[in-house]
Amino acid sequence: MSLGGQEIAPALFLAPMEGITHSAFRRLLSDYGGYGALFTEMLSAGAFLQEKTLESPYTRRRPCEGKVIYQFGASGREDLEAVLRKVESLAPDAVDLNLGCPAPKIRAHGWGVSLAADFPRLRTVLERFRRAWPGTLTVKVRLGDDPERWREGFLERVRLFEDLGVDAMTVHARFSGEKLKRRPRWEEFAWIAARTRLPVIGNGDICAPEDLVRHREAFAPLAGLMLGRIAVVKPWIFRAFAGLPVEPPDHAELWDRHYRYLLEDMPPERAFGRLMDFTYYYAKNFLFGHELYRGVQKARTCEEIREAALRFLEAGPTPNRGTGVSFT
Ligand SMILES: Cc1cc2nc3c(=O)[nH]c(=O)nc-3n(C[C@H](O)[C@H](O)[C@H](O)COP(=O)(O)O)c2cc1C
């Protein structure tokens, strides 16, 4: 797909995921490839100004990562002009504004869906982004707040994105009040894509290439696809979507490589929670994966997490067969 004049091929994106899509995880994905671009986790626009961005484990990028899109959470109270000047030193392939996160702490900051719902503030923030950032600008949205009456408000925002020169839009096909366990509304992609000239990237529970075949009509109008949790469970999954050969992974080796990458990038006290988060998803590869996760939950140090994880993974655990993974 063309994103702000640059070609993203394949049109496959790693979703921004707080606690997960730091540079060490992006490095792990780059060992497998198959994607077109990787999103950072959401970066607080305010905190970004204090960050040593070329060294920070969240904002630094390695050449092996390929195209990286920096996502920001912003309310408009920040010095956005300074943020966007500063991000230039990282040479982002695009900058993305988070308009879809519904978590209470994010709403309380006035970011995510709170910004999306406040039309005048949204306009001002986007105008400032567009003026201060000459490169590719994207947004990530949900469908809206009210499942009964969302279409008009959604289109009003799409017109705003078009008028202000946003280059593409990711649609996570759920409403603000819907948890990630709820079935996403893929059937809305076609309705949305038919009403905008912006490239639409579809997101939400896209777990296997077979999904695209089984739901061809839903996915055909999309310019690109974004994968989130499934890429944590199977960091090699983009290869399958890109039609590249997929080797069965050595799970213990993969888990340990991610551990090493993480501890190269950040001190153990920061790596600890991130190892937990990664292992929670990685455990879904196995029939008795809850035992893996339960084992690491007892750990008090990164080294103990490693011991527990490798004990499970080196014992040849039974894989979850088929596409296997369900987030519902
Ligand atoms: C642990 C976690 C952290 C997330 N953090 C972010 C974030 O920082 N920014 C964002 O726009 N969405 C965030 N999301 C939402 C994902 O980007 C994505 O929209 C959602 O997981 C649905 O896609 P999936 O079914 O492929 O996982 C997060 C989701 C998860 C599970």
Side-chain angles (χ1 to χ4, degrees), residues 161-207:
F161 303 153
E162 290 174 345
D163 292 348
L164 295 184
V166 168
D167 294 292
M169 164 173 75
T170 302
V171 177
H172 175 193
R174 290 187 172 94
F175 291 97
S176 308
E178 292 180 336
K179 302 244 183 279
L180 292 184
K181 285 184 179 200
R182 196 193 180 292
R183 188 187 65 81
R185 298 162 198 260
W186 292 341
E187 63 279 9
E188 301 299 350
F189 288 143
W191 184 87
I192 294 166
R195 282 161 182 79
T196 178
R197 58 183 156 77
L198 296 183
V200 176
I201 300 162
N203 169 241
D205 271 11
I206 303 167
C207 286

Side-chain angles (χ1 to χ4, degrees), residues 15-18 42 71 98 140 172 180 203 205 228-229 281:
M17 286 180 283
E18 195 199 345
M42 181 180 63
Q71 188 193 59
N98 182 332
K140 181 164 177 282
H172 175 193
L180 292 184
N203 169 241
D205 271 11
R229 292 162 293 168
Y281 287 107

Side-chain angles (χ1 to χ4, degrees), residues 52 54 65 74 85-87 103 119 122 129-130 136 149 158 160 165 179 185 188 197 224 230 245 247 265 267 318:
K52 289 187 179 153
L54 296 175
E65 293 172 37
R85 258 196 320 275
K86 186 167 175 178
V87 82
F119 197 81
L122 172 63
F129 264 76
R130 190 62 294 179
T136 301
R149 295 172 58 244
V158 170
L160 182 72
K179 302 244 183 279
R185 298 162 198 260
E188 301 299 350
R197 58 183 156 77
I230 195 66
E247 297 283 324
D265 271 16
T318 312

Side-chain angles (χ1 to χ4, degrees), residues 44-301:
S44 148
F48 185 80
L49 287 176
Q50 316 309 321
E51 199 81 52
K52 289 187 179 153
T53 50
L54 296 175
E55 293 156 36
S56 153
Y58 314 105
T59 55
R60 68 173 291 187
R61 63 185 287 191
R62 298 174 163 83
C64 65
E65 293 172 37
K67 292 190 187 296
V68 179
I69 300 177
Y70 285 75
Q71 188 193 59
F72 287 100
S75 68
R77 285 189 292 272
E78 308 86 352
D79 184 350
L80 296 178
E81 291 69 24
V83 169
L84 292 160
R85 258 196 320 275
K86 186 167 175 178
V87 82
E88 274 181 40
S89 63
L90 294 159
D93 293 286
V95 162
D96 183 81
L97 180 61
N98 182 332
L99 298 175
C101 183
K105 70 170 187 196
I106 301 300
R107 286 182 198 252
H109 285 304
W111 306 344
V113 297
S114 155
L115 179 60
D118 182 344
F119 197 81
R121 187 158 60 90
L122 172 63
R123 174 191 288 279
T124 308
V125 169
L126 266 179
E127 276 170 353
R128 290 174 63 195
F129 264 76
R130 190 62 294 179
R131 257 200 311 271
W133 169 246
T136 301
L137 177 62
T138 61
V139 291
K140 181 164 177 282
V141 299
R142 288 200 178 208
L143 298 175
D145 293 332
D146 182 352
E148 302 304 320
R149 295 172 58 244
W150 62 279
R151 292 179 199 274
E152 204 182 314
F154 188 90
L155 290 185
E156 198 183 0
R157 279 151 188 79
V158 170
R159 292 288 94 79
L160 182 72
F161 303 153
E162 290 174 345
D163 292 348
L164 295 184
V166 168
D167 294 292
M169 164 173 75
T170 302
V171 177
H172 175 193
R174 290 187 172 94
F175 291 97
S176 308
E178 292 180 336
K179 302 244 183 279
L180 292 184
K181 285 184 179 200
R182 196 193 180 292
R183 188 187 65 81
R185 298 162 198 260
W186 292 341
E187 63 279 9
E188 301 299 350
F189 288 143
W191 184 87
I192 294 166
R195 282 161 182 79
T196 178
R197 58 183 156 77
L198 296 183
V200 176
I201 300 162
N203 169 241
D205 271 11
I206 303 167
C207 286
E210 293 76 22
D211 291 338
L212 310 183
V213 179
R214 263 187 245 123
H215 302 270
R216 201 183 297 275
E217 280 174 25
F219 292 108
L222 293 173
L225 301 173
M226 177 183 277
L227 311 183
R229 292 162 293 168
I230 195 66
V232 195
V233 181
K234 299 175 189 290
W236 59 89
I237 192 74
F238 286 103
R239 297 184 65 83
F241 277 85
L244 298 169
V246 180
E247 297 283 324
D250 173 337
H251 292 295
E253 187 282 326
L254 187 157
W255 190 97
D256 206 27
R257 184 153 29 98
H258 176 257
Y259 175 89
R260 190 159 42 81
Y261 289 171
L262 200 53
L263 281 149
E264 267 178 39
D265 271 16
M266 58 180 87
E269 60 276 15
R270 280 215 210 167
F272 187 85
R274 286 165 178 87
L275 276 175
M276 287 285 189
D277 290 349
F278 175 73
T279 308
Y280 169 78
Y281 287 107
Y282 203 76
K284 292 186 185 289
N285 283 302
F286 310 103
L287 204 53
F288 299 105
H290 56 279
E291 286 177 13
L292 165 58
Y293 190 57
R294 205 182 308 132
V296 303
Q297 274 183 313
K298 292 188 193 129
R300 282 155 306 162
T301 63

